[in-house]
Amino acid sequence: MKILVTGGAGYIASHTNVELLNAGYEVVVLDNLCNSSEESIRRVEKLTGKKITFYKIDMIDKEAMDAMFKKEKPDAVIHFAGLKAVGESCEYPLMYFNNNLIGTLNLLSVMDKYAVRKLVFSSSATVYGFQTKMPINEEASLSATNPYGRTKLMIEDMLRDIYKADNSWDIAILRYFNPIGAHISGEIGEDPKGIPNNLVPYIAKVAIGELEKVHVFGNDYNTPDGTGVRDYIHVVDLALGHIKAIEKLNENPGLVTYNLGTGQGYSVLELIKSYEKACGKTIPYVIDARRPGDCDMVYSDPSKAKAELGWEATRGVEQMCEDSWRWQSKNPNGYRGC
Ligand code: NAD
Ligand code: UD1
């Protein structure tokens, strides 16, 4: 079975590509490399001993996508491509709407034209907006709190409308909680450009000595130690969820939606402690003001994915930090300079 992976050079996609190739799928990658490097594709090929067909295409370029579909005729698409930084989306909403919405619209039109109607979509826990009841299951109310989140919610709504109009589509919407960690080899991992916005990549840069200290955004939350609690999930567990989702699509389920999380929350301070253990160094930190828009606690109810996909996360927070550190220490400059 041939899978087109959009955004296939990125962080989550590169780990998914490893699992797809190991499971015997053929992988075609489309990426404009705006937030990634072709080196990740080469590393996945090296890790698996298998080839990836790569197209450097921007999803805004519908003709180029059309020509690629005509040539490759994929059986299904995993759609990772998109911009994902919340702060940047508040500053440049038009850029986010154009890239994420128009890009996805182009993809869906081309898929429909070539009758490729099997899709796995990368959604996010951000579509749940602010929730007070934990854990969050798939029935919780949906809302957006920033332009990035709005693009995820709008794409989900588009997919629900498309399915309603034509139920020959099979669509799996996957709502990720907080992916961290890296492949156990240390060959692929998260390679953020500039100063990281997210906690674990920031801790990793402090551990390697590139940044001075972690800024803990608030210690007066309604959580056991006062710092924010999130549902961190190992990126390899997340990748394996995509394999299960593709298997599900082959049963023609229609449109299905799953949380991919562990169901367990960890605080910022717990994460720092765990990372210290993994890297054998002290991670300096200071307590700063809360980051606007953050909430105290977010964690998933992942039981639907377990019941219907036969998937559950098995890697704990210690392994997430150990694997993150292996990637960071082996590749202090990420893929740059390769
Ligand atoms: P990433 O930035 O590493 O990967 C996204 C890839 O898409 C990049 O390689 C980028 O170059 C590519 N891309 C962006 N716009 C494109 C376009 N117009 N045409 C072609 N390629 C384009 O991000 P990631 O962390 O691997 O995230 C993958 C997906 O998962 C995204 O849709 C993201 O919103 C979603 N997601 C991520 C997280 C997270 O914390 N990492 C959480 C929830 C959801
Ligand atoms: C962020 C995004 C969310 C996205 C998710 C995916 C924001 C506001 N939200 O969520 O849309 O779906 O990533 O993983 O960006 N923290 C610090 N110091 C830091 C960075 C973070 O203390 O330097 C804290 C935060 O306050 C939070 C926790 O660490 O409590 C996790 O933060 P982060 O990694 O940015 O993820 P989220 O905010 O959960």
Side-chain angles (χ1 to χ4, degrees), residues 14-50:
S14 54
H15 292 80
T16 304
N17 292 341
V18 170
E19 302 307 328
L20 284 168
L21 290 167
N22 284 343
Y25 293 95
E26 211 180 315
V27 173
V28 176
V29 161
L30 173 162
D31 202 303
N32 66 357
L33 303 179
C34 70
N35 196 38
S36 53
S37 153
E38 212 176 322
E39 175 66 12
S40 72
I41 297 174
R42 285 193 284 273
R43 300 239 182 138
V44 171
E45 289 182 328
K46 211 171 106 199
L47 276 174
T48 58
K50 306 223 171 117

Short mmCIF file of all heavy atoms in Angstrom, two decimals, residues 14-50:
data_model
loop_
_atom_site.label_atom_id
_atom_site.label_comp_id
_atom_site.label_asym_id
_atom_site.label_seq_id
_atom_site.Cartn_x
_atom_site.Cartn_y
_atom_site.Cartn_z
N SER A 14 8.55 12.15 10.37
CA SER A 14 9.75 11.34 10.15
C SER A 14 9.69 10.07 11.01
O SER A 14 10.06 8.99 10.56
CB SER A 14 11.03 12.14 10.40
OG SER A 14 11.00 12.73 11.67
N HIS A 15 9.16 10.20 12.24
CA HIS A 15 9.01 9.00 13.08
C HIS A 15 7.93 8.08 12.53
O HIS A 15 8.06 6.85 12.60
CB HIS A 15 8.70 9.42 14.53
CG HIS A 15 9.87 10.10 15.18
ND1 HIS A 15 10.16 11.42 14.97
CD2 HIS A 15 10.84 9.62 15.99
CE1 HIS A 15 11.26 11.74 15.64
NE2 HIS A 15 11.70 10.66 16.27
N THR A 16 6.89 8.66 11.96
CA THR A 16 5.83 7.84 11.36
C THR A 16 6.36 7.11 10.13
O THR A 16 6.02 5.94 9.89
CB THR A 16 4.62 8.74 11.01
OG1 THR A 16 4.23 9.43 12.20
CG2 THR A 16 3.46 7.94 10.47
N ASN A 17 7.21 7.80 9.35
CA ASN A 17 7.77 7.17 8.16
C ASN A 17 8.56 5.91 8.52
O ASN A 17 8.50 4.91 7.82
CB ASN A 17 8.68 8.15 7.40
CG ASN A 17 7.89 9.29 6.77
OD1 ASN A 17 6.67 9.17 6.59
ND2 ASN A 17 8.57 10.38 6.45
N VAL A 18 9.32 5.97 9.61
CA VAL A 18 10.08 4.79 10.05
C VAL A 18 9.13 3.62 10.29
O VAL A 18 9.34 2.50 9.81
CB VAL A 18 10.87 5.09 11.36
CG1 VAL A 18 11.47 3.82 11.95
CG2 VAL A 18 11.97 6.11 11.10
N GLU A 19 8.04 3.89 11.01
CA GLU A 19 7.10 2.80 11.35
C GLU A 19 6.36 2.32 10.11
O GLU A 19 6.09 1.13 9.98
CB GLU A 19 6.13 3.27 12.45
CG GLU A 19 6.80 3.75 13.73
CD GLU A 19 7.78 2.75 14.34
OE1 GLU A 19 7.57 1.53 14.19
OE2 GLU A 19 8.79 3.18 14.92
N LEU A 20 6.04 3.24 9.21
CA LEU A 20 5.35 2.83 7.96
C LEU A 20 6.25 1.91 7.14
O LEU A 20 5.84 0.85 6.69
CB LEU A 20 4.99 4.07 7.11
CG LEU A 20 3.80 4.91 7.56
CD1 LEU A 20 3.76 6.24 6.79
CD2 LEU A 20 2.48 4.16 7.37
N LEU A 21 7.51 2.34 6.97
CA LEU A 21 8.44 1.54 6.15
C LEU A 21 8.71 0.19 6.82
O LEU A 21 8.71 -0.84 6.15
CB LEU A 21 9.75 2.32 5.94
CG LEU A 21 9.62 3.55 5.03
CD1 LEU A 21 10.84 4.45 5.12
CD2 LEU A 21 9.39 3.13 3.57
N ASN A 22 8.88 0.19 8.14
CA ASN A 22 9.11 -1.08 8.85
C ASN A 22 7.91 -2.02 8.74
O ASN A 22 8.07 -3.23 8.78
CB ASN A 22 9.45 -0.84 10.32
CG ASN A 22 10.88 -0.34 10.50
OD1 ASN A 22 11.71 -0.47 9.59
ND2 ASN A 22 11.17 0.25 11.65
N ALA A 23 6.72 -1.43 8.61
CA ALA A 23 5.51 -2.26 8.51
C ALA A 23 5.24 -2.68 7.06
O ALA A 23 4.23 -3.32 6.79
CB ALA A 23 4.32 -1.51 9.08
N GLY A 24 6.12 -2.26 6.13
CA GLY A 24 5.97 -2.72 4.74
C GLY A 24 5.21 -1.79 3.82
O GLY A 24 4.92 -2.13 2.68
N TYR A 25 4.87 -0.57 4.29
CA TYR A 25 4.20 0.39 3.41
C TYR A 25 5.22 1.07 2.52
O TYR A 25 6.39 1.24 2.89
CB TYR A 25 3.46 1.45 4.23
CG TYR A 25 2.30 0.91 5.02
CD1 TYR A 25 2.45 0.52 6.36
CD2 TYR A 25 1.04 0.78 4.45
CE1 TYR A 25 1.38 0.02 7.10
CE2 TYR A 25 -0.04 0.27 5.17
CZ TYR A 25 0.14 -0.10 6.49
OH TYR A 25 -0.91 -0.61 7.21
N GLU A 26 4.74 1.54 1.36
CA GLU A 26 5.56 2.36 0.47
C GLU A 26 5.29 3.82 0.86
O GLU A 26 4.12 4.17 1.09
CB GLU A 26 5.08 2.12 -0.96
CG GLU A 26 6.14 2.23 -2.02
CD GLU A 26 5.53 1.97 -3.39
OE1 GLU A 26 4.75 1.00 -3.54
OE2 GLU A 26 5.81 2.75 -4.29
N VAL A 27 6.33 4.64 0.94
CA VAL A 27 6.13 6.02 1.42
C VAL A 27 6.56 7.04 0.36
O VAL A 27 7.67 6.99 -0.16
CB VAL A 27 6.93 6.27 2.73
CG1 VAL A 27 6.87 7.73 3.13
CG2 VAL A 27 6.40 5.38 3.86
N VAL A 28 5.64 7.96 0.07
CA VAL A 28 5.94 9.11 -0.77
C VAL A 28 5.79 10.34 0.11
O VAL A 28 4.78 10.49 0.79
CB VAL A 28 4.95 9.21 -1.96
CG1 VAL A 28 5.21 10.47 -2.78
CG2 VAL A 28 5.03 7.97 -2.83
N VAL A 29 6.81 11.19 0.12
CA VAL A 29 6.78 12.38 0.97
C VAL A 29 6.60 13.63 0.12
O VAL A 29 7.25 13.80 -0.91
CB VAL A 29 8.08 12.49 1.80
CG1 VAL A 29 8.30 13.90 2.32
CG2 VAL A 29 8.05 11.50 2.97
N LEU A 30 5.71 14.51 0.60
CA LEU A 30 5.56 15.85 0.02
C LEU A 30 5.89 16.83 1.14
O LEU A 30 5.33 16.73 2.23
CB LEU A 30 4.11 16.01 -0.43
CG LEU A 30 3.59 17.36 -0.94
CD1 LEU A 30 2.31 17.12 -1.72
CD2 LEU A 30 3.33 18.38 0.15
N ASP A 31 6.79 17.76 0.88
CA ASP A 31 7.13 18.76 1.89
C ASP A 31 7.76 19.95 1.19
O ASP A 31 8.50 19.77 0.22
CB ASP A 31 8.11 18.17 2.94
CG ASP A 31 8.08 18.90 4.27
OD1 ASP A 31 8.34 20.13 4.26
OD2 ASP A 31 7.83 18.28 5.30
N ASN A 32 7.48 21.17 1.66
CA ASN A 32 8.18 22.33 1.08
C ASN A 32 9.40 22.71 1.91
O ASN A 32 10.06 23.69 1.62
CB ASN A 32 7.22 23.53 0.93
CG ASN A 32 6.77 24.09 2.27
OD1 ASN A 32 7.11 23.56 3.33
ND2 ASN A 32 6.00 25.16 2.24
N LEU A 33 9.67 21.95 2.95
CA LEU A 33 10.84 22.11 3.82
C LEU A 33 10.88 23.47 4.54
O LEU A 33 11.94 23.94 4.93
CB LEU A 33 12.16 21.88 3.03
CG LEU A 33 12.28 20.52 2.32
CD1 LEU A 33 13.61 20.43 1.56
CD2 LEU A 33 12.19 19.36 3.32
N CYS A 34 9.70 24.09 4.71
CA CYS A 34 9.70 25.41 5.38
C CYS A 34 10.06 25.28 6.86
O CYS A 34 10.49 26.25 7.48
CB CYS A 34 8.37 26.12 5.19
SG CYS A 34 7.00 25.38 6.10
N ASN A 35 9.85 24.09 7.43
CA ASN A 35 10.22 23.92 8.85
C ASN A 35 10.95 22.59 9.05
O ASN A 35 10.83 21.98 10.10
CB ASN A 35 8.97 23.97 9.73
CG ASN A 35 9.31 24.18 11.19
OD1 ASN A 35 10.23 24.93 11.52
ND2 ASN A 35 8.61 23.49 12.07
N SER A 36 11.69 22.18 8.04
CA SER A 36 12.34 20.86 8.16
C SER A 36 13.50 20.77 7.18
O SER A 36 13.76 21.71 6.43
CB SER A 36 11.33 19.75 7.88
OG SER A 36 10.69 19.98 6.64
N SER A 37 14.15 19.61 7.19
CA SER A 37 15.32 19.43 6.35
C SER A 37 15.21 18.08 5.64
O SER A 37 14.71 17.11 6.22
CB SER A 37 16.56 19.46 7.25
OG SER A 37 17.60 18.73 6.68
N GLU A 38 15.75 18.03 4.41
CA GLU A 38 15.72 16.78 3.66
C GLU A 38 16.55 15.71 4.34
O GLU A 38 16.38 14.51 4.10
CB GLU A 38 16.25 17.06 2.24
CG GLU A 38 15.59 16.20 1.21
CD GLU A 38 16.05 16.56 -0.21
OE1 GLU A 38 16.25 17.75 -0.51
OE2 GLU A 38 16.21 15.61 -1.00
N GLU A 39 17.47 16.16 5.22
CA GLU A 39 18.32 15.22 5.94
C GLU A 39 17.49 14.22 6.76
O GLU A 39 17.88 13.07 6.91
CB GLU A 39 19.27 16.01 6.86
CG GLU A 39 20.15 15.17 7.77
CD GLU A 39 21.19 14.30 7.03
OE1 GLU A 39 21.40 14.51 5.83
OE2 GLU A 39 21.76 13.41 7.69
N SER A 40 16.34 14.65 7.26
CA SER A 40 15.52 13.72 8.06
C SER A 40 15.06 12.56 7.18
O SER A 40 14.95 11.42 7.65
CB SER A 40 14.33 14.44 8.70
OG SER A 40 13.37 14.77 7.72
N ILE A 41 14.81 12.82 5.92
CA ILE A 41 14.37 11.76 5.01
C ILE A 41 15.52 10.77 4.77
O ILE A 41 15.33 9.56 4.82
CB ILE A 41 13.86 12.37 3.68
CG1 ILE A 41 12.64 13.25 3.96
CG2 ILE A 41 13.53 11.29 2.65
CD1 ILE A 41 12.14 14.02 2.77
N ARG A 42 16.71 11.33 4.57
CA ARG A 42 17.89 10.45 4.37
C ARG A 42 18.11 9.58 5.60
O ARG A 42 18.44 8.40 5.50
CB ARG A 42 19.13 11.30 4.08
CG ARG A 42 19.13 11.87 2.65
CD ARG A 42 20.49 12.42 2.28
NE ARG A 42 20.76 13.71 2.91
CZ ARG A 42 20.39 14.88 2.39
NH1 ARG A 42 19.75 14.93 1.24
NH2 ARG A 42 20.66 16.00 2.99
N ARG A 43 17.94 10.18 6.78
CA ARG A 43 18.17 9.40 8.02
C ARG A 43 17.13 8.29 8.17
O ARG A 43 17.45 7.20 8.64
CB ARG A 43 18.11 10.32 9.23
CG ARG A 43 19.16 11.43 9.16
CD ARG A 43 20.09 11.38 10.33
NE ARG A 43 21.05 12.45 10.26
CZ ARG A 43 21.42 13.18 11.30
NH1 ARG A 43 20.89 12.98 12.48
NH2 ARG A 43 22.33 14.13 11.16
N VAL A 44 15.90 8.56 7.80
CA VAL A 44 14.86 7.52 7.88
C VAL A 44 15.20 6.40 6.90
O VAL A 44 15.07 5.21 7.24
CB VAL A 44 13.46 8.12 7.58
CG1 VAL A 44 12.42 7.02 7.44
CG2 VAL A 44 13.06 9.10 8.68
N GLU A 45 15.69 6.76 5.74
CA GLU A 45 16.09 5.73 4.76
C GLU A 45 17.22 4.87 5.33
O GLU A 45 17.22 3.65 5.19
CB GLU A 45 16.52 6.38 3.45
CG GLU A 45 15.36 7.00 2.68
CD GLU A 45 15.78 7.62 1.35
OE1 GLU A 45 16.92 8.13 1.24
OE2 GLU A 45 14.95 7.61 0.42
N LYS A 46 18.17 5.54 6.00
CA LYS A 46 19.29 4.80 6.58
C LYS A 46 18.83 3.87 7.71
O LYS A 46 19.25 2.72 7.79
CB LYS A 46 20.33 5.82 7.11
CG LYS A 46 21.76 5.31 7.03
CD LYS A 46 22.75 6.39 7.36
CE LYS A 46 23.34 6.14 8.74
NZ LYS A 46 23.96 7.30 9.36
N LEU A 47 17.93 4.40 8.53
CA LEU A 47 17.44 3.59 9.68
C LEU A 47 16.67 2.36 9.23
O LEU A 47 16.71 1.33 9.89
CB LEU A 47 16.49 4.44 10.54
CG LEU A 47 17.08 5.37 11.58
CD1 LEU A 47 15.98 6.21 12.21
CD2 LEU A 47 17.77 4.54 12.66
N THR A 48 15.93 2.49 8.13
CA THR A 48 15.03 1.40 7.72
C THR A 48 15.61 0.57 6.58
O THR A 48 15.09 -0.51 6.29
CB THR A 48 13.68 1.98 7.24
OG1 THR A 48 13.93 2.87 6.15
CG2 THR A 48 12.97 2.72 8.35
N GLY A 49 16.62 1.11 5.89
CA GLY A 49 17.16 0.43 4.71
C GLY A 49 16.17 0.44 3.55
O GLY A 49 16.28 -0.36 2.62
N LYS A 50 15.21 1.38 3.59
CA LYS A 50 14.22 1.46 2.51
C LYS A 50 14.22 2.86 1.89
O LYS A 50 14.67 3.81 2.51
CB LYS A 50 12.82 1.15 3.07
CG LYS A 50 12.77 -0.19 3.82
CD LYS A 50 11.55 -0.98 3.48
CE LYS A 50 11.65 -2.36 4.06
NZ LYS A 50 10.63 -2.65 5.04
#
